[in-house]
Amino acid sequence: MKRYGYHRTSTREQHLDRGIKEITAYCEQNNLELEKIFTDQQTGKNFNRPRYQILKEDVLRAGDELIITEVDRLGRNKQETLKELQYYRDNGIRVKILELPTTLMDLSKLDNAMARMLMETINNMLIELYAAMAQAEIEKKEKRQREGIDSKKARGEWDDYGRPAVMSIDEFSEHYQKVMSGEIRPFELMKQLDMSKSTYYRYVKRIKE
């Protein structure tokens, strides 16, 4: 059995240090050997993150443990996050979430089957609640952004801010991984994203910088 950590922030401006320290401290305090912590600095809306995919597909095996600090560090889409957690359950990989102490308990050591079932039910309910809160938070943020743009347009101030970006650099970076891996060609990605050649290479330049 091996133990790994995972931490994510949405942007490169946010620091990964806090999550890394929390996972490391938990393992040290409980005398648990930690193999490695994988990190990404990308949106939590989906799971197309390079380091996460490597961890999930190539590293974790049945019997291993995955430690995260909070549910929203795994993902901010409720259904997709619950699907990922179900994948780990189905494959015998235990997920510990530091913000939910009940997930840190080894339920397999409970002799009472009823108590074990109740604890599993409580865990699942808490995880679903926290996943719903994570999605609600990002939806609220997007709503405020849309309302802000609408207000600027209504006041005739939108032109002062220039044309909105086609997408965030993080979103483009996720799609660009397909080009980097040779899965598709640049012109195919341009077509998929409905992006002009000049816009495409502007984004590429920003990534390389």
Side-chain angles (χ1 to χ4, degrees):
M1 187 272 281
K2 293 186 178 181
R3 186 174 293 106
Y4 299 90
Y6 177 74
H7 190 61
R8 177 197 65 79
T9 61
S10 296
T11 67
R12 297 188 184 280
E13 285 70 37
Q14 294 174 303
H15 297 296
L16 292 161
D17 298 4
R18 183 180 66 84
I20 292 172
K21 287 179 181 177
E22 284 185 35
I23 294 171
T24 303
Y26 167 76
C27 291
E28 289 177 348
Q29 290 163 10
N30 292 276
N31 295 315
L32 302 173
E33 184 178 350
L34 181 65
E35 296 290 330
K36 187 174 182 178
I37 298 177
F38 287 74
T39 63
D40 282 305
Q41 290 186 292
Q42 292 186 219
T43 177
K45 290 183 181 180
N46 58 62
F47 289 86
N48 298 326
R49 305 173 219 138
R51 300 295 291 166
Y52 175 77
Q53 288 300 323
I54 289 172
L55 173 63
K56 177 185 174 183
E57 302 293 341
D58 301 330
V59 177
L60 289 167
R61 295 290 181 265
D64 287 349
E65 285 186 359
L66 171 61
I67 302 173
I68 58 176
T69 58
E70 302 165 8
V71 174
D72 65 3
R73 294 307 90 196
L74 184 62
R76 284 186 174 274
N77 179 299
K78 177 186 172 184
Q79 293 304 321
E80 292 299 317
T81 299
L82 295 179
K83 188 187 298 183
E84 291 296 299
L85 291 171
Q86 185 60 53
Y87 165 86
Y88 292 124
R89 281 193 289 271
D90 292 344
N91 287 274
I93 298 165
R94 183 180 176 190
V95 178
K96 290 183 174 181
I97 306 170
L98 300 186
E99 72 173 342
L100 298 177
T102 53
T103 66
L104 307 181
M105 298 172 58
D106 188 353
L107 303 184
S108 65
K109 292 183 178 179
L110 291 177
D111 294 331
N112 189 306
M114 179 61 74
R116 186 164 58 248
M117 183 184 73
L118 285 172
M119 287 305 299
E120 288 174 349
T121 301
I122 291 171
N123 268 342
N124 292 336
M125 289 174 63
L126 285 171
I127 288 171
E128 184 160 355
L129 172 63
Y130 275 66
M133 289 168 60
Q135 180 168 324
E137 184 180 339
I138 198 168
E139 287 177 351
K140 187 185 297 183
K141 180 180 178 181
E142 290 173 344
K143 181 174 180 288
R144 287 198 298 265
Q145 289 174 338
R146 289 195 300 270
E147 289 173 346
I149 291 171
D150 289 341
S151 296
K152 289 171 186 174
K153 286 181 177 179
R155 295 194 301 266
E157 298 174 358
W158 181 242
D159 290 340
D160 295 339
Y161 293 84
R163 201 176 157 193
V166 176
M167 65 178 65
S168 71
I169 192 65
D170 286 339
E171 288 179 87
F172 178 79
S173 181
E174 291 172 14
H175 294 291
Y176 187 61
Q177 293 298 323
K178 296 178 183 177
V179 175
M180 293 294 289
S181 65
E183 185 178 337
I184 61 175
R185 293 184 174 185
F187 74 88
E188 293 173 313
L189 182 58
M190 291 178 210
K191 187 175 181 180
Q192 285 181 16
L193 301 180
D194 192 23
M195 187 178 281
S196 69
K197 186 175 180 180
S198 60
T199 301
Y200 171 84
Y201 282 106
R202 187 168 68 247
Y203 274 88
V204 172
K205 183 180 178 181
R206 287 181 62 190
I207 288 175
K208 291 182 177 178
E209 287 175 347

